[in-house]
Amino acid sequence: MNLVCLLAILIICIGRSTEGASRPAVVNIGAVFAVSTINGGVSKIAIKAAEEDVNADPSILSGTKFSVSMHDSNYSGFLSIIGALNYMESDTVAIIGPQTSVMAHIVSHLANELHVPLLSFTALDPTLSSLQYPYFLQTAPNDQFQMNAIGDMVSYFGWKEVVALFTDDDQSRNGVTALGDKLAQKMHKISYKAVLPPDPTATRDQVKTELAKIQIMESRVIVLHTFSRTGLLVFDVAKELGMMESGYVWIATAWLSTVLDSTSPLPQKTKDSIEGALTLRPHTPDSKRKRAFISRWKKLSNGTRGLNPYALYAYDTVWIIAHAVNLLLDQGGTISFSNHASIPGYRRGIMNLSALSIFNGGKQLLENILQTNTTGLTGPLAFHSDRSLVNPSYDIINIIENGYQQIGYWSNNSGLSVVPPETAPNRSTSNQHLAAVVWPGGTTNKPRGWVFPNNGKQLIIGVPDRVSYRDFVSQQNGTDIAKGYCIDIFLAAIKLLPYAVPHRFELFGDGHKNPSYYELVSNIPSGKFDAAVGDIAIVANRTKIVDFTQPFIESGLVVVAPVRGSDARAWAFLKPFSPLMWGVTAAFFLIVGSVLWVLEHRLNDDFRGPPRKQIGTILWFSFSTMFFSHRENTVSFLGRMVLIIWLFIILIINSSYTASLTSMLTVQQLSSPITGIDTLISSFEPIGFQVGSFAENYLIEELNIPKSRLVPLGSPEEYANALKERTVAAVVDERPYIELFLSDNCMFSIRGPEFTKSGWGFAFPRDSPLAIDMSTAILTLSENGELQQIHDKWLSKKACASQTSDLESDQLQLQSFWGVFLIVGTACFIALVIHFSLAFRQYLRRSPEDDHHSDLEPPGHGSTSSGTTATPRLTFLSFIDEKKDQSKDNKSKRKREEIMRKSSNWHEKEDV
């Protein structure tokens, strides 16, 4: 505040007006840096090199000398202000610096009044906005982009929480605020902010105190945002405390990359302390000019400093100012200054401040700078409308043993990538990749990012003290020990975690009635419990205050109602088969009877006779086979084959019918006027619910059922009594409870489907990493079968036949018998084909004499002019209709022999 007051006094002091020529001989530029710092030292070298290059270039400034003078602030804010004032007394048109954001906030007020542009590539506080500080420009990416890169890295590796460790100054504080905003966008957060004294005043004890606090916390991802001296001290102490071992993640901002680039060689102790850390470096694309400057650097620095990106930004900043001044002069502007309008009334005091004046061309010079569009050592030089650089980007560095490796890049346009930003595709989730990382401790396995804190504290886990359905969770023999289905699952999951979780159960409830589960869950955010374990349904109002694990059992509200025996008994004998099954069976009886009649008609007298008799025979034979009581014998081979197959099919159908009918007559058929939640709502009858369950709120708030209709019930016995006595029409409760209830109460059944879908899970505080790890453990239990084993241990009981949500029909469908019908149909078809084929063959071989049923006369008797006797020939239908005589063939043969003999005798007599 003293500095701000001093600045306010300085601003209103008397100035003087100085008129310069249109093309002045010298243009004065100032630079304010702490030369003893890494960035200050390399910036001084780069700025001097840029000054020489500008003056050596005849195409710029047309002979006007470009003069840059350096002021060493020596880490002092007061000296920074004095340096800025000295430059403004000497008609300086622009100032490079100040080096720190703290000084930038102060000196920018002076720049606003005197219209002198300030350009800084190290004061990168994201809150140095163009609205409040219009004459301040950042010529390097500000910390907003650096924090965006870190946020994307945290999201990429899947860490939910980080710890921010930073120095207590404007730039670091505001940078961490920007990081918190970025993490919040990606559903992550900063779990703790550890603050250190401003650089370089932090002591070893102060650093150790903060790191000791971090060491006992859950999060193991630490973002270190400070400066080189404090940062290296933090890593040294962290190494001493064992915080550079496996399991930790350290992400340092760009200060660490400047140490790597500009300090050579690093002490071995420093190398060891930073091994495994990640850091960012401003990305500067490769170019011919950059390579040429790198080759000059050793000569420029005399080997005292290594080159880092901020030296390149310093070089480019000089050229930005030079081009803007040159454009100003080309536009007819002048380097002139005038008195401040309010200064005359403030001429008292002993300080000589009358030299302060307003730069008349400052506004135009600022506009020229903002219109910069060229290419420098750092790549394209241009400003967005918000005065940020175009497409800022960073290299991502992983420090390894005796060096470092580059694992990827980040840019504002493409996000994370393993290829440089200038060739990377547009930002897309599928394109976000980084190379393998060597983490602290030398491991290449990605750290989990958090551990259960080793602070000796046990988790206090709330457990409902149930008075009913104690198989799920209950108190053991009056002690504080909990047992049950839910407890066994929790303990089994805990054993699968890769770390110990000390805990103790604490019962919640009065032991006289089931507790309110919403109150149980509400004690987690209040801090009374660290978690809740039990038969806790995952419902909307609870997920708003806690995080749940993966469900370990499915649940949902169902309706259970009393049942009564069915009164429809008169036609019960028809129920075993579906109507279609009855129809197809009857059709096959007729088909098989008809086929057997065809096969037996020519051979078997039982299948011959008048048409009326034959129809009766077909019908009688068809249906008498159902009881194996047919009297007619089968004499043909094909008929016997078909009959054997059909009798086997009849045996299958009879057995199935008998079994189904027996089941239907012996098992009680269930029915109820309540068919589901819809009929229950419209019935206006009382509804029972379990005390403590979320069913009460759901029925009232979601289904708009009046509270007067709801009857609280506390135990399965109360369920049964209320349903038997008809004090409630039905009970609404969660399926696991109802299934356990119905295993002992077969007079009731579930009516209709579930009308909510949920599950039971364990509750933890919001954003707790333990909830995620427990979810993974529950999935493992499900996959290896242990979850089912625990279920069978506690909940496996014989279910009643009434435990079906809908009374499914026991009728036998045609689909169950289409195979046997196909067999008999195929057999009939094959038999008919063979039968008619043989009959047709016999018909073709039948002689004309066989068609004549009287004695044959010798030739010449009744002969035609052609010498043959005209006899009618049988049709095929008549042929197959006549009875086949087994002796007929022999008789025909004898007749032919007799005719031949008579014919021979007749010819002998004629010759005589």
Side-chain angles (χ1 to χ4, degrees):
M1 286 299 296
N2 292 335
L3 292 176
V4 175
C5 294
L6 175 61
L7 179 60
I9 295 172
L10 295 175
I11 291 174
I12 60 177
C13 290
I14 301 175
R16 62 180 177 82
S17 174
T18 302
E19 297 295 335
S22 60
R23 274 286 176 179
V26 178
V27 174
N28 293 318
I29 308 296
V32 179
F33 287 97
V35 178
S36 60
T37 64
I38 293 176
N39 286 338
V42 298
S43 297
K44 179 180 178 180
I45 299 170
I47 289 172
K48 285 301 179 181
E51 177 187 10
E52 294 175 1
D53 292 346
V54 168
N55 288 324
D57 190 343
S59 66
I60 191 169
L61 292 177
S62 301
T64 298
K65 183 181 179 182
F66 194 77
S67 177
V68 182
S69 57
M70 293 285 296
H71 175 80
D72 186 2
S73 63
N74 196 25
Y75 270 112
S76 170
F78 177 75
L79 292 180
S80 295
I81 295 176
I82 295 301
L85 290 173
N86 286 335
Y87 289 134
M88 293 178 184
E89 289 178 356
S90 58
D91 297 342
T92 299
V93 300
I95 297 176
I96 301 174
Q99 184 172 345
T100 65
S101 296
V102 175
M103 290 299 100
H105 279 278
I106 297 174
V107 177
S108 291
H109 290 286
L110 184 60
N112 290 347
E113 288 293 329
L114 301 181
H115 296 180
V116 177
L118 294 178
L119 291 83
S120 180
F121 46 87
T122 53
L124 303 177
D125 183 350
T127 65
L128 286 166
S129 67
S130 59
L131 295 178
Q132 185 178 8
Y133 307 111
Y135 280 85
F136 178 81
L137 286 176
Q138 292 167 327
T139 57
N142 69 45
D143 285 347
Q144 175 70 54
F145 301 104
Q146 185 172 205
M147 296 307 171
N148 288 349
I150 294 176
D152 283 346
M153 291 167 60
V154 171
S155 179
Y156 171 79
F157 288 112
W159 301 312
K160 293 298 182 182
E161 297 181 1
V162 303
V163 172
L165 179 59
F166 59 97
T167 55
D168 190 15
D169 59 38
D170 291 343
Q171 179 165 330
S172 298
R173 269 196 310 271
N174 294 329
V176 169
T177 300
L179 174 62
D181 294 340
K182 179 64 176 180
L183 291 175
Q185 292 176 10
K186 294 180 172 292
M187 305 302 292
H188 309 301
K189 70 175 184 178
I190 298 175
S191 60
Y192 180 70
K193 295 180 180 180
V195 183
L196 297 172
D199 186 76
T201 62
T203 65
R204 191 176 190 85
D205 289 340
Q206 290 171 328
V207 170
K208 184 176 291 187
T209 299
E210 289 302 320
L211 290 181
K213 295 177 183 177
I214 296 172
Q215 197 171 21
I216 63 174
M217 295 178 181
E218 291 183 357
S219 179
R220 285 294 184 262
V221 182
I222 305 168
V223 177
L224 180 56
H225 187 38
T226 181
F227 300 95
S228 58
R229 294 188 182 180
T230 300
L232 293 178
L233 177 60
V234 168
F235 276 115
D236 186 35
V237 176
K239 180 73 173 179
E240 177 185 330
L241 296 178
M243 298 176 68
M244 295 303 297
E245 301 298 327
S246 178
Y248 282 90
V249 177
W250 287 84
I251 304 176
T253 49
W255 66 266
L256 183 54
S257 66
T258 63
V259 173
L260 297 175
D261 293 334
S262 299
T263 305
S264 181
L266 279 175
Q268 188 60 44
K269 183 180 180 181
T270 301
K271 291 180 181 179
D272 294 340
S273 67
I274 63 176
E275 185 177 337
L278 299 178
T279 186
L280 300 177
R281 173 202 286 146
H283 176 71
T284 56
D286 186 36
S287 67
K288 184 178 180 179
R289 289 188 61 197
K290 177 182 173 181
R291 290 193 298 271
F293 187 79
I294 293 175
S295 65
R296 292 174 57 193
W297 181 257
K298 187 172 183 180
K299 180 179 179 182
L300 292 172
S301 64
N302 293 322
T304 59
R305 296 281 186 180
L307 178 64
N308 70 48
Y310 292 103
L312 305 180
Y313 283 113
Y315 184 91
D316 283 349
T317 301
V318 173
W319 275 94
I320 289 173
I321 297 172
H323 281 294
V325 171
N326 185 62
L327 181 59
L328 173 66
L329 297 177
D330 289 344
Q331 292 169 341
T334 60
I335 307 300
S336 61
F337 298 84
S338 60
N339 292 332
H340 195 285
S342 60
I343 285 180
Y346 296 91
R347 293 184 176 273
R348 293 171 296 177
I350 59 174
M351 291 187 295
N352 182 21
L353 302 174
S354 60
L356 294 176
S357 57
I358 297 174
F359 176 29
N360 295 327
K363 184 176 181 180
Q364 185 60 47
L365 179 61
L366 179 64
E367 292 297 327
N368 292 346
I369 293 173
L370 292 174
Q371 293 173 11
T372 298
N373 189 4
T374 185
T375 300
L377 299 182
T378 58
L381 296 177
F383 294 93
H384 284 297
S385 58
D386 62 356
R387 301 192 180 193
S388 64
L389 289 176
V390 173
N391 193 24
S393 53
Y394 291 89
D395 301 334
I396 303 176
I397 306 300
N398 177 209
I399 303 172
I400 59 177
E401 186 178 3
N402 297 322
Y404 62 84
Q405 61 177 352
Q406 187 161 331
I407 62 170
Y409 304 86
W410 179 92
S411 76
N412 198 45
N413 291 342
S414 58
L416 299 174
S417 176
V418 292
V419 297
E422 51 269 23
T423 60
N426 291 333
R427 180 184 291 266
S428 170
T429 304
S430 60
N431 296 329
Q432 305 295 296
H433 295 292
L434 294 175
V437 180
V438 178
W439 304 99
T443 179
T444 57
N445 296 324
K446 186 199 77 172
R448 188 170 59 250
W450 80 282
V451 295
F452 193 80
N454 186 21
N455 54 12
K457 178 185 176 183
Q458 288 184 324
L459 284 182
I460 302 176
I461 300 176
V463 176
D465 188 6
R466 294 195 59 88
V467 296
S468 63
Y469 296 112
R470 295 172 62 84
D471 289 331
F472 293 106
V473 60
S474 64
Q475 183 181 13
Q476 181 174 335
N477 301 326
T479 67
D480 289 337
I481 301 175
K483 65 177 183 177
Y485 168 70
C486 302
I487 300 299
D488 279 5
I489 292 177
F490 176 79
L491 295 176
I494 284 289
K495 292 179 182 177
L496 296 178
L497 299 182
Y499 47 87
V501 182
H503 63 276
R504 64 180 177 87
F505 296 118
E506 184 172 308
L507 295 173
F508 177 78
D510 57 12
H512 301 293
K513 65 178 181 179
N514 294 331
S516 167
Y517 280 54
Y518 183 80
E519 292 181 8
L520 169 62
V521 170
S522 298
N523 281 317
I524 295 176
S526 69
K528 180 177 180 180
F529 295 139
D530 297 309
V533 170
D535 47 337
I536 306 171
I538 304 172
V539 293
N541 65 340
R542 297 172 187 172
T543 59
K544 295 177 181 178
I545 57 176
V546 296
D547 280 350
F548 282 94
T549 62
Q550 171 81 15
F552 56 84
I553 189 173
E554 292 184 359
S555 182
L557 293 179
V558 294
V559 176
V560 63
V563 297
R564 53 186 173 83
S566 176
D567 296 329
R569 298 286 184 178
W571 300 97
F573 69 91
L574 294 176
K575 290 185 177 181
F577 287 163
S578 66
L580 180 60
M581 179 65 184
W582 278 119
V584 173
T585 303
F588 265 88
F589 272 112
L590 295 175
I591 291 171
V592 172
S594 300
V595 170
L596 287 171
W597 177 83
V598 171
L599 298 175
E600 296 291 322
H601 180 65
R602 297 188 66 210
L603 303 175
N604 195 336
D605 288 336
D606 292 339
F607 290 87
R608 299 188 64 81
R612 181 180 298 177
K613 177 185 176 183
Q614 294 183 53
I615 294 174
T617 300
I618 292 173
L619 294 176
W620 163 255
F621 185 84
S622 298
F623 291 102
S624 63
T625 55
M626 177 182 291
F627 311 103
F628 306 96
S629 61
H630 52 283
R631 295 174 300 180
E632 294 78 8
N633 293 321
T634 54
V635 297
S636 68
F637 171 76
L638 293 175
R640 290 174 177 175
M641 181 191 71
V642 171
L643 182 60
I644 289 174
I645 295 174
W646 176 241
L647 291 178
F648 177 71
I649 301 305
I650 289 298
L651 178 64
I652 295 174
I653 294 175
N654 282 345
S655 301
S656 301
Y657 175 86
T658 303
S660 180
L661 182 62
T662 302
S663 174
M664 288 181 174
L665 294 178
T666 56
V667 178
Q668 182 187 35
Q669 298 303 300
L670 306 178
S671 64
S672 171
I674 303 298
T675 60
I677 187 62
D678 294 332
T679 56
L680 185 61
I681 293 173
S682 60
S683 68
F684 300 102
E685 296 187 30
I687 303 172
F689 69 92
Q690 183 184 176
V691 175
S693 169
F694 76 95
E696 179 183 14
N697 288 337
Y698 186 87
L699 294 173
I700 295 173
E701 297 175 4
E702 301 297 332
L703 302 182
N704 298 317
I705 295 177
K707 189 173 183 179
S708 58
R709 288 184 59 192
L710 303 183
V711 179
L713 302 171
S715 66
E717 292 75 17
E718 291 185 32
Y719 282 17
N721 293 335
L723 291 171
K724 289 177 183 177
E725 297 170 3
R726 304 291 180 174
T727 56
V728 296
V731 171
V732 174
D733 205 350
E734 296 177 64
R735 178 176 282 277
Y737 300 127
I738 293 301
E739 288 179 346
L740 198 62
F741 166 70
L742 293 180
S743 64
D744 297 322
N745 295 273
C746 296
M747 297 177 62
F748 315 103
S749 74
I750 296 174
R751 311 301 292 158
E754 293 180 354
F755 54 93
T756 66
K757 292 290 184 181
S758 63
W760 291 353
F762 305 135
F764 291 91
R766 296 298 299 269
D767 301 321
S768 171
L770 190 56
I772 299 173
D773 286 358
M774 285 292 288
S775 294
T776 303
I778 290 172
L779 289 174
T780 303
L781 291 176
S782 177
E783 292 171 359
N784 64 22
E786 192 171 352
L787 199 63
Q788 184 62 43
Q789 294 174 8
I790 298 174
H791 181 278
D792 295 342
K793 172 185 174 182
W794 290 96
L795 307 179
S796 179
K797 295 186 177 182
K798 183 178 179 181
C800 293
S802 60
Q803 284 193 36
T804 54
S805 59
D806 293 306
L807 299 177
E808 298 181 358
S809 174
D810 290 330
Q811 287 182 333
L812 298 174
Q813 305 295 323
L814 178 61
Q815 291 87 338
S816 303
F817 294 90
W818 71 268
V820 295
F821 285 128
L822 177 63
I823 292 172
V824 71
T826 302
C828 290
F829 177 76
I830 293 174
L832 288 174
V833 170
I834 295 173
H835 173 74
F836 282 111
S837 298
L838 294 175
F840 189 70
R841 182 181 178 186
Q842 292 173 0
Y843 171 74
L844 293 178
R845 292 183 176 182
R846 187 179 182 89
S847 64
E849 291 81 2
D850 293 335
D851 295 337
H852 191 51
H853 298 290
S854 61
D855 292 336
L856 296 175
E857 299 293 334
H861 291 264
S863 63
T864 65
S865 59
S866 61
T868 60
T869 303
T871 58
R873 187 170 182 84
L874 291 174
T875 64
F876 179 68
L877 291 179
S878 299
F879 174 75
I880 63 174
D881 183 57
E882 74 175 0
K883 184 176 185 301
K884 183 178 180 181
D885 189 355
Q886 297 294 337
S887 62
K888 190 172 184 179
D889 292 339
N890 295 330
K891 182 178 180 181
S892 297
K893 183 178 180 180
R894 288 195 301 272
K895 283 185 177 182
R896 284 194 294 270
E897 291 175 351
E898 184 179 354
I899 291 171
M900 293 298 292
R901 187 175 63 255
K902 287 182 179 181
S903 177
S904 176
N905 292 336
W906 182 78
H907 282 295
E908 289 177 357
K909 290 178 181 181
E910 191 176 50
D911 290 341
V912 174

